[in-house]
Amino acid sequence: MVSSKTAIEKLFYQICYFSRINDFFPKKCKNIVRIMAYHEIGKSNFKSHIEYLKSHRYQIFSMDDLSEFLVKNLRIPKKKVIITFDDGWKSNYSEVFPIVKSFQIPIIIYLVSKVYQTDFKPWFFTIAELKS
């Protein structure tokens, strides 16, 4: 059974995350990870976002990195972010991937397996491109 203190702490961290109150009280919300979720973005915009994060000393995490911190119960560094892309658009490969490679950063692309009640697969790159 979860103690009431643990439940309250969990609720507090969720409130910090969703309200962004941790921007004002960073010492109270220590283990918050920001997730930047994209669908499509142009090359110059994405590059400027990464340059901003790097110049402001944000660490770009993978989900594996985050899992390791959580499993080992380690303190997550202060400025951390996870970058995700939804749906697997062609621009994820053609526009984003070269920047990801040049900055050597991890990202997550969530692919849609098919459109509901159709056989249409909305991602527009090949399995070979995915493996690269």
Side-chain angles (χ1 to χ4, degrees):
M1 187 165 141
V2 177
S3 73
S4 59
K5 181 181 178 192
T6 304
I8 290 170
E9 284 176 347
K10 234 179 179 180
L11 178 62
F12 177 73
Y13 286 120
Q14 288 176 343
I15 291 169
C16 287
Y17 176 77
F18 289 110
S19 68
R20 297 198 58 194
I21 198 168
N22 57 312
D23 292 342
F24 302 102
F25 304 102
K27 290 181 181 174
K28 296 289 184 193
C29 300
K30 295 176 185 162
N31 278 341
I32 301 298
V33 175
R34 287 182 174 83
I35 297 178
M36 296 176 67
Y38 295 95
H39 286 268
E40 289 190 277
I41 186 167
K43 189 182 284 188
S44 62
N45 285 338
F46 184 66
K47 185 176 181 184
S48 68
H49 291 184
I50 300 305
E51 288 170 342
Y52 175 87
L53 292 170
K54 293 284 192 179
S55 70
H56 286 83
R57 296 201 162 118
Y58 277 85
Q59 295 178 7
I60 301 170
F61 270 38
S62 69
M63 284 293 192
D64 289 339
D65 296 334
L66 179 60
S67 294
E68 186 174 335
F69 275 88
L70 296 174
V71 167
K72 293 180 178 177
N73 203 23
L74 300 172
R75 182 184 166 103
I76 299 171
K78 187 176 182 182
K79 288 186 165 185
K80 61 274 180 204
V81 66
I82 293 174
I83 299 174
T84 69
F85 286 85
D86 292 343
D87 305 329
W89 293 99
K90 178 70 174 176
S91 65
N92 297 166
Y93 184 79
S94 63
E95 303 292 322
V96 172
F97 189 62
I99 296 163
V100 166
K101 267 183 117 168
S102 72
F103 281 96
Q104 297 182 339
I105 57 171
I107 65 166
I108 301 157
I109 298 177
Y110 294 105
L111 297 177
V112 174
S113 57
K114 69 178 188 175
V115 175
Y116 182 66
Q117 295 185 341
T118 73
D119 288 328
F120 176 67
K121 292 176 177 55
W123 35 285
F124 302 102
F125 39 86
T126 67
I127 299 301
E129 290 170 329
L130 280 174
K131 289 180 179 180
S132 69

